[in-house]
């Protein structure tokens, strides 16, 4: 690993989720240490990743020996083994790893990980399922929900917005959402201003409380 270990990340558990995280870090040129307890997985990944080791991550002494306590962040990508997932997050927390991300398989698992010391917990299947439900039932083309019930969506415009400057549509007062950016066909996204006139065929980035954004994308 490189000299500055605080910029490096530990990726623990090389199932589908952990492998996707590690591949993306590699693509971004980030330094990372991949850990899995199964030797056959480590051997499979050894050609692809520069630093991959076989170890039981639930053991704090093992993590310390590997230098994980000096890294800036860790991602715990162990899902189905609840005990291993919780003990690994606990070990990382006790070692003082500044940023701990973890994967949970359900809400109860998520709450346990948060209480054990994970700073960010994701539920990939549930999160993806919610996104698909939004995309399949409204005009949304993409949907990102932040932790606090606030969302950003990519959507086509409803008729009420077309042909007038945004300031004339009173979109914030009426719908509680803000048009953040606009993309004309064939052009790039630009910031929306009060003078922006929305046209049919435009694509919008709209932000606001999730429920209001949902209602807005259901307008005809
Ligand atoms: P996926 O991301 O494929 O959905 P999953 O949620 O089913 O995975 P698991 O298969 O339980 O998660 O675990 C992912 C990986 O974590 C496995 O390759 C497993 O060997 C590894 N793993 C499990 N326990 C430990 C541990 N204590 N230390 C290190 N790695 C572990």
């Amino acid at each position: 690993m490189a000299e500055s270990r605080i910029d490096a990340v530990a990726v623990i558990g090389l199932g589908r989720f952990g492998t996707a995280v590690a591949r993306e870090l590699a693509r971004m040129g980030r330094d990372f240490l991949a850990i899995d307890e199964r030797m056959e997985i480590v051997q499979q990944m050894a050609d692809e990743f520069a630093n991959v080791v076989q170890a039981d991550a639930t053991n704090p002494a093992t993590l310390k020996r590997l230098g994980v306590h000096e890294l800036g962040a860790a991602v715990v990508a162990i899902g189905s083994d609840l005990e291993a997932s919780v003990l690994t997050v606990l070990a990382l927390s006790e070692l003082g790893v500044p940023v701990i991300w973890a994967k949970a398989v359900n809400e109860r698992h998520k709450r346990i990980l948060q209480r054990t010391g994970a700073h960010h917990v994701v539920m990939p299947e549930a999160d993806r399922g919610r996104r698909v439900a939004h995309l399949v039932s409204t005009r949304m083309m993409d949907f990102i929900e932040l932790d606090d019930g606030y969302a950003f969506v990519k959507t086509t415009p409803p008729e009420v917005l077309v042909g007038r400057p945004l300031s004339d549509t009173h979109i914030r007062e009426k719908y509680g959402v803000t048009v953040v950016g606009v993309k004309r066909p064939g052009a790039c996204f630009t910031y929306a201003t009060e003078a922006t006139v929305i046209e049919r065929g435009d694509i919008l980035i709209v932000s606001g409380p999730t429920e209001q954004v949902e209602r807005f994308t259901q307008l005809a």
Side-chain angles (χ1 to χ4, degrees):
M1 306 215 30
E3 287 292 293
S4 171
R5 299 177 71 96
I6 195 73
D7 290 336
V9 179
V11 180
I12 301 173
L14 296 174
R16 288 164 301 175
F17 181 73
T19 302
V21 172
R23 284 201 174 122
E24 197 60 15
L25 288 171
R27 198 189 60 76
M28 293 160 69
R30 291 290 304 272
D31 213 0
F32 66 93
L33 171 66
I35 301 172
D36 200 289
E37 70 172 356
R38 284 166 55 196
M39 192 40 121
E40 68 270 25
I41 303 255
V42 171
Q43 279 166 349
Q44 259 174 37
M45 295 298 170
D47 287 342
E48 191 174 343
F49 303 140
N51 299 294
V52 49
V53 295
Q54 186 272 326
D56 176 4
T58 61
N59 185 335
T62 305
L63 292 180
K64 197 160 183 185
R65 187 172 47 76
L66 292 170
V68 172
H69 60 297
E70 294 170 351
L71 306 185
V75 180
V76 180
I78 304 170
S80 43
D81 186 343
L82 178 71
E83 187 181 343
S85 148
V86 172
L87 290 177
T88 300
V89 167
L90 184 64
L92 293 166
S93 177
E94 285 175 355
L95 288 174
V97 174
V99 180
I100 304 170
W101 284 79
K103 163 186 156 155
V105 294
N106 56 41
E107 279 294 337
R108 195 171 136 265
H109 187 184
K110 179 177 178 173
R111 282 207 302 279
I112 297 170
L113 294 179
Q114 284 167 333
R115 287 183 171 227
T116 315
H119 305 102
H120 307 276
V121 182
V122 291
M123 294 196 294
E125 286 86 2
D127 295 345
R128 179 56 64 172
R130 289 194 53 185
R131 275 168 54 87
V132 170
H134 282 104
L135 301 181
V136 82
S137 58
T138 66
R139 279 185 293 102
M140 282 185 208
M141 303 161 79
D142 210 347
F143 170 85
I144 300 169
E145 189 176 29
L146 308 181
D147 275 353
D148 54 359
Y150 194 85
F152 281 83
V153 298
K154 181 175 160 190
T155 179
T156 53
E159 277 301 313
V160 288
L161 243 56
V162 172
R164 293 188 286 163
L166 275 175
S167 56
D168 287 3
T169 64
H170 304 291
I171 175 173
R172 272 197 206 137
E173 298 91 272
K174 281 194 191 153
Y175 307 107
V177 301
T178 303
V179 177
V180 183
V182 182
K183 184 182 185 318
R184 296 269 125 90
C188 298
F189 270 105
T190 54
Y191 288 110
T193 68
E194 299 211 327
T196 302
V197 178
I198 304 296
E199 295 169 11
R200 272 186 208 96
D202 285 353
I203 294 173
L204 314 181
I205 300 292
V206 176
S207 71
T210 306
E211 279 181 20
Q212 278 159 302
V213 166
E214 278 167 1
R215 242 174 278 139
F216 177 75
T217 57
Q218 283 160 3
L219 294 172

